[in-house]
């Protein structure tokens, strides 16, 4: 089975797995190349038995798979280059998990922007605005994304899809956009 470009994940039980920081880090590390549990253990500074437990859960959910053996160990890789995480419904299980994922994504975006030379004076405000934007965007896009589940999407189509979803939902996202433009010191 070849690696998919984009995999849409809407199952709340699968999404729940990614709320764990270690599992999310494993999935992110496997973006570049296949790795063994021992290598992940060293990189994440976690016991190898803990890494194996996380790998088993991620493999059962379809996020990763064993691709070959190297010595005594299996090498694992992602099943898709991009995971589009959008729960099919809101609820007691999904909302707190998505909040954790959106917070982690917002912090990643903060680091990306500051690495690119943006001077963001209020990290907490930036992260909160991004988290709110992602939560609102996900809620507004839920029905559309659910209908796309299972369709093979390449990276260019994915970028266009995300741009179209933002455009469709832009009137409802204007307040967050205005605040972000201010924090990034972008001209109107």
């Amino acid at each position: 089975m070849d690696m998919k470009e984009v995999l849409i994940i809407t199952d709340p039980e699968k999404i729940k797995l990614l709320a764990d920081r270690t599992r999310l880090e494993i999935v992110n590390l496997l973006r570049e190349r296949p790795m063994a549990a021992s290598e992940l253990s060293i990189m994440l500074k976690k016991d190898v038995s803990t890494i194996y437990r996380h790998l088993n859960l991620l493999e059962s959910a379809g996020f990763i798979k064993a691709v070959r053996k190297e010595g005594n160990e299996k090498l694992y890789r992602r099943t898709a280059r991009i995971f589009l995480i959008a729960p099919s419904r809101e609820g007691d299980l999904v909302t707190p998990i998505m909040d954790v994922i959106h917070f982690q994504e917002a912090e990643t975006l903060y680091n990306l922007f500051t690495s690119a030379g943006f001077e963001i004076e209020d990290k907490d405000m930036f992260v909160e605005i991004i988290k709110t934007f992602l939560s609102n965007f996900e809620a507004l896009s839920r029905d559309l994304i659910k209908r796309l589940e299972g369709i093979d999407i390449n990276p260019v189509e994915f970028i266009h899809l995300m741009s179209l979803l933002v455009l469709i939902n832009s009137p409802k996202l204007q307040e967050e956009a205005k605040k972000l433009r201010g924090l990034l010191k972008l001209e109107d």
Side-chain angles (χ1 to χ4, degrees):
M1 176 167 121
D2 289 329
M3 181 186 293
K4 288 184 173 237
E5 292 296 326
V6 178
L7 184 62
I8 298 172
I9 308 294
T10 61
D11 180 351
E13 291 301 318
K14 288 182 180 183
I15 293 168
K16 181 180 176 184
L17 290 175
L18 293 180
D20 180 271
R21 182 67 139 180
T22 301
R23 286 191 284 271
L24 192 59
E25 287 174 345
I26 289 170
V27 168
N28 285 334
L29 286 170
L30 294 177
R31 178 173 306 179
E32 298 303 317
R33 63 181 172 80
M35 293 185 197
S38 60
E39 185 177 7
L40 290 164
S41 171
I42 292 166
M43 293 175 86
L44 296 173
K45 297 177 175 78
K46 305 262 185 196
D47 186 76
V48 74
S49 63
T50 300
I51 297 299
Y52 272 118
R53 184 173 42 84
H54 290 300
L55 289 171
N56 287 333
L57 289 168
L58 290 167
E59 189 172 26
S60 295
F63 289 108
I64 66 168
K65 72 176 197 167
V67 290
R68 66 180 183 272
K69 280 190 101 170
E70 205 171 83
N72 295 349
E73 284 194 277
K74 292 179 184 176
L75 293 180
Y76 295 88
R77 73 162 169 82
R78 294 163 60 114
T79 55
R81 292 190 204 302
I82 301 168
F83 294 112
L84 175 56
I85 302 166
S88 59
R89 65 184 188 281
E90 223 173 333
D92 295 339
L93 171 71
V94 177
T95 304
I97 294 164
M98 290 308 296
D99 282 346
V100 169
I101 292 170
H102 290 151
F103 178 78
Q104 292 169 353
E105 290 172 344
E107 283 199 323
T108 299
L109 287 171
Y110 172 81
N111 292 333
L112 178 76
F113 274 87
T114 56
S115 295
F118 285 87
E119 294 179 22
I120 303 169
E121 295 171 5
D122 191 336
K123 176 186 178 180
D124 292 338
M125 180 185 283
F126 180 87
V127 168
E128 184 57 34
I129 291 169
I130 294 289
K131 185 177 144 310
T132 300
F133 171 83
L134 292 172
S135 296
N136 290 339
F137 179 73
E138 178 263 309
L140 291 167
S141 304
R142 185 176 293 130
D143 293 337
L144 262 165
I145 292 171
K146 177 65 178 163
R147 293 183 67 179
L148 295 170
E149 189 172 20
I151 294 175
D152 202 16
I153 301 171
N154 69 45
V156 173
E157 292 169 335
F158 175 74
I159 291 168
H160 291 160
L161 171 64
M162 291 291 95
S163 298
L164 180 61
L165 289 174
V166 170
L167 178 63
I168 290 168
N169 294 312
S170 64
K172 296 181 179 178
L173 301 171
Q174 284 181 5
E175 190 60 36
E176 288 97 348
K178 186 175 182 178
K179 289 177 187 174
L180 281 174
R181 289 184 67 74
L183 280 172
L184 294 172
K185 299 174 181 83
L186 299 173
E187 295 180 26
D188 279 338

